[in-house]
Amino acid sequence: MASGSLAVLKFGGSVLADGRSIPFAVAEISRHLAGYERIIAVVSAFKHHTDMLEQTARQLCAQPASDALAFYMGLGEMRTAAELTLGLQGAGVAATLRMPWDVWFLS
């Protein structure tokens, strides 16, 4: 493993159908840790969760402001990220949850 090596893994709604899919993602990340020093796991909301959030939002307000709707619909990704982080920690993997606004990219 090269010092500073990094892998980015993306887990979408087709892989993370619901909370029962978390052990699969934990196993994949653990497997990749054998070859990389650090892993960044990017997740989508559980399958159909974003659709359910949008439906609920529109039941509450027929024409929600875009900022409120975007934040509310983003709760699906936040939930998945938190559950994956907890699953990793429960498996003994050092994991830290980062939200999109915590990450800065320099060019």
Side-chain angles (χ1 to χ4, degrees), residues 49-105:
H49 194 79
T50 303
D51 296 334
M52 290 185 294
L53 288 168
E54 182 178 17
Q55 182 180 22
T56 300
R58 294 195 185 280
Q59 288 171 351
L60 294 168
C61 179
Q63 295 181 332
S66 60
D67 60 340
L69 181 62
F71 181 86
Y72 185 68
M73 290 175 62
L75 293 176
E77 281 83 4
M78 291 181 208
R79 175 186 174 187
T80 305
E83 289 190 24
L84 178 57
T85 302
L86 291 168
L88 287 163
Q89 292 171 350
V93 177
T96 304
L97 176 65
R98 295 283 184 245
M99 300 310 303
W101 50 81
D102 294 330
V103 180
W104 294 89
F105 293 97

Side-chain angles (χ1 to χ4, degrees), residues 9-42:
L9 304 177
K10 171 68 167 96
F11 298 96
S14 62
V15 173
L16 293 172
D18 54 36
R20 295 173 295 188
S21 305
I22 293 294
F24 169 79
V26 168
E28 277 297 296
I29 292 167
S30 297
R31 185 174 68 80
H32 279 82
L33 280 171
Y36 294 92
E37 189 173 313
R38 294 184 309 144
I39 304 287
I40 296 175
V42 180

